């Protein structure tokens, strides 16, 4: 009896790596994509590596009811980097005889080391940059692995330009998606008494700048509300100790992780994102959608979303932060209303969640773009031009 060629009976699926299921803005975007994949009946395997958090959180029960999306988790207690890479490699090798992965999507830059193995197994690799363009540019090893990817995507114009400079290759742009939220009523009083800072507590989110601000500017009598998980406990303790040292405890509140942020946006007079680096920030999109004013640190990626320089401040500059707050406070009622309406229209026009998901699916469906030899020639040509 003639042998059966397994290539013609393997199930066709797609593959997505996630370092955590719930962590930051990138995970939020890919949770949207997972939900959309289930709704559209895309055959998707999701590997959740549990690389980052100190404890494992239970996944939503609804995931167990999915029929098209399959979730695979690793034990967070054994989640050192080498062990994760080994386990993921074994998982894929066991799956390959039965599943034809039509494409694999990677967004956590440390997972790029899997790209050569995936290409050897004939799995096209798509890298979707979130906040790591600068990090990759400073890491020669990761830049080398990036060259094994069939396609490279960015989620901001800044990152797109940066990655094109680094690689000399075409880099696609897929903007974040945001579910449409109802616009909250305008605040009856225009005084800025409650400032919301929605972000995980980690150094790159730069929450300390806000504490320096309320210490230095006694004329601000309001309260700072930090909504986000204390991911970096040493940094969280540093913030708490600073507040105690300068008697700021009554002026700040740490909410931890907030599952439903609508009420916090409702109560907020102003939203601030003081980050040192970002991808396209979900916080800004959320605030725009709900109808709350936002000011941000003046980093390049933010300029794609907040174009008015009066709403941006230097990442270490409390004087500029104060000027931004006073600018929003000083807007006329009509200018304030117009700002919020323009912001909401901007999100609805440019950050549609269905468009984001469909764009990823198009990238999934393109399959393999380059042979290994083609990639090697492009890489050589790019570095030859730099000499």
């Amino acid at each position: 009896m003639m042998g059966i060629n397994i290539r013609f009976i393997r199930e066709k699926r797609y593959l997505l790596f996630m370092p955590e299921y719930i962590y930051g803005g990138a995970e939020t975007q890919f949770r949207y994509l997972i939900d959309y994949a289930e709704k559209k009946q895309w055959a998707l395997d999701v590997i959740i590596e549990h690389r980052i958090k100190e404890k494992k959180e239970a996944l939503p029960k609804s995931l167990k009811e999915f029929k098209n999306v399959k979730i695979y988790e690793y034990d967070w207690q054994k989640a050192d980097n080498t062990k994760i890479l080994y386990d993921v490699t074994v998982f894929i090798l066991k799956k390959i005889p039965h599943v034809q992965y039509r494409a694999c999507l990677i967004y956590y830059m440390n997972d790029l080391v899997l790209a050569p193995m995936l290409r050897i197994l004939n799995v096209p690799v798509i890298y979707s940059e979130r906040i790591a363009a600068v990090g990759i540019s400073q890491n020669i090893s990761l830049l080398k692995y990036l060259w094994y990817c069939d396609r490279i995507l960015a989620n901001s114009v800044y990152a797109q330009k940066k990655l094109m400079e680094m690689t000399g290759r075409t880099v696609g742009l897929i903007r974040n998606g945001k579910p449409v939220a109802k616009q909250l009523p305008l605040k009856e009083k225009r005084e800025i008494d409650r400032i919301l800072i929605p972000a995980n507590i980690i150094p790159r989110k730069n929450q300390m700048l806000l504490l320096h601000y309320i210490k230095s500017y006694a004329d601000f009598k309001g309260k700072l509300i930090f909504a986000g998980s204390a991911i970096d406990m040493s940094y969280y303790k540093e913030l708490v100790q600073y507040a105690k040292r300068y008697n700021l405890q009554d002026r700040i509140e740490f909410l931890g992780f907030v599952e439903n942020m609508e009420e916090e946006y409702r109560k907020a007079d102003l939203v601030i994102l003081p980050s040192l680096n970002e991808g396209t920030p979900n916080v800004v999109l959320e605030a725009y959608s709900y109808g709350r004013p936002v000011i941000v640190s003046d980093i390049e990626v933010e300029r794609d979303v907040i174009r008015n320089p009066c709403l941006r401040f230097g990442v270490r500059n409390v004087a500029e932060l104060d000027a931004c707050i006073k600018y929003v406070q000083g807007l006329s009622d009509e200018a304030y209303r117009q700002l919020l309406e323009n912001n909401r229209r901007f999100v609805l026009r440019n950050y549609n969640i269905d468009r984001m998901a469909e764009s990823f699916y198009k990238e999934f469906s393109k399959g393999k773009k380059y042979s290994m030899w083609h990639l090697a020639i492009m890489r050589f040509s790019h570095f030859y031009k730099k000499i």
Side-chain angles (χ1 to χ4, degrees), residues 192 194-199 201 203-218 220 222-227 235 239 242-243 246 248 251-254 270-276 295-297 313-322 324-325:
I192 296 177
R194 188 179 177 92
I195 293 177
L196 177 65
I197 306 98
I201 308 298
R204 73 174 181 83
K205 294 297 185 178
N206 198 26
Q207 287 97 344
M208 183 62 80
L209 182 72
L210 276 298
L211 298 189
H212 289 322
Y213 170 70
I214 60 172
K215 170 183 172 292
S216 303
Y217 286 82
F220 175 72
K223 191 170 185 179
L224 304 178
I225 308 299
F226 296 96
Y235 184 60
L239 296 173
Y242 184 93
Y246 295 104
L248 304 174
R251 311 277 304 283
I252 66 173
E253 185 176 352
F254 290 98
L270 178 66
V271 177
I272 298 182
L273 189 63
S275 303
L276 301 176
I295 63 175
V296 300
S297 53
F313 53 87
V315 295
R316 306 293 185 193
N317 197 318
V318 292
E320 289 183 5
L321 172 59
D322 182 62
C324 288
I325 293 173

Side-chain angles (χ1 to χ4, degrees), residues 73-313:
E73 290 185 90
Y74 286 100
D75 188 344
W76 66 273
Q77 292 179 316
K78 300 177 182 178
D80 65 274
N81 191 56
T82 302
K83 183 68 165 61
I84 289 170
L85 294 175
Y86 174 81
D87 287 346
V88 169
T89 301
V90 171
F91 171 88
I92 294 170
L93 291 173
K94 287 181 177 179
K95 281 282 188 178
I96 284 295
H98 313 286
V99 177
Q100 178 188 351
Y101 285 118
R102 303 179 71 176
C104 175
L105 180 60
I106 290 172
Y107 71 89
Y108 186 62
M109 65 180 181
N110 288 347
D111 282 327
L112 281 171
V113 299
L114 295 165
M117 182 268 293
L118 290 163
R119 289 305 308 269
I120 290 171
L121 295 174
N122 205 35
V123 179
V125 180
I126 304 166
Y127 175 63
S128 176
E129 185 274 345
R130 311 310 293 177
I131 63 167
V134 175
I136 291 177
S137 68
Q138 298 170 348
N139 189 316
I140 296 175
S141 296
L142 289 176
L143 183 57
K144 176 182 67 177
Y145 290 121
L146 190 63
W147 279 94
Y148 288 92
C149 299
D150 287 88
R151 285 181 298 286
I152 304 170
L153 306 173
N155 79 333
S156 69
V157 173
Y158 163 71
Q160 183 184 35
K161 291 178 180 177
K162 188 76 175 177
L163 287 166
M164 289 178 71
E165 290 172 5
M166 286 160 48
T167 64
R169 291 173 55 180
T170 299
V171 175
L173 175 64
I174 299 181
R175 297 185 185 276
N176 282 5
K178 179 71 185 72
V180 178
K182 64 180 180 180
Q183 186 168 6
L184 298 172
L186 287 176
K187 303 283 286 188
E188 293 183 5
K189 296 190 299 181
R190 287 285 312 285
E191 290 83 2
I192 296 177
D193 294 322
R194 188 179 177 92
I195 293 177
L196 177 65
I197 306 98
N200 288 331
I201 308 298
I202 49 178
R204 73 174 181 83
K205 294 297 185 178
N206 198 26
Q207 287 97 344
M208 183 62 80
L209 182 72
L210 276 298
L211 298 189
H212 289 322
Y213 170 70
I214 60 172
K215 170 183 172 292
S216 303
Y217 286 82
D219 59 331
F220 175 72
K221 304 297 184 182
K223 191 170 185 179
L224 304 178
I225 308 299
F226 296 96
S229 300
I231 301 297
D232 188 317
M233 287 304 298
S234 62
Y235 184 60
Y236 170 73
K237 291 176 182 176
E238 183 182 346
L239 296 173
V240 171
Q241 289 168 359
Y242 184 93
K244 287 181 178 179
R245 186 183 312 132
Y246 295 104
N247 297 315
L248 304 174
Q249 301 98 311
D250 294 339
R251 311 277 304 283
I252 66 173
E253 185 176 352
F254 290 98
L255 302 180
F257 173 73
V258 179
E259 186 169 356
N260 185 350
M261 285 290 295
E262 180 178 331
E263 185 59 26
E264 292 307 319
Y265 281 108
R266 183 185 301 278
K267 292 185 289 188
D269 302 309
L270 178 66
V271 177
I272 298 182
L273 189 63
S275 303
L276 301 176
N277 56 65
E278 281 287 346
T280 298
N282 290 324
V283 165
V284 175
L285 304 184
E286 283 183 348
Y288 277 10
S289 187
Y290 281 121
R292 290 294 178 262
V294 191
I295 63 175
V296 300
S297 53
D298 190 18
I299 54 179
E300 288 193 62
V301 69
E302 298 283 21
R303 297 172 193 167
D304 290 347
V305 185
I306 294 188
R307 301 179 182 181
N308 184 346
C310 294
L311 300 172
R312 303 193 305 262
F313 53 87

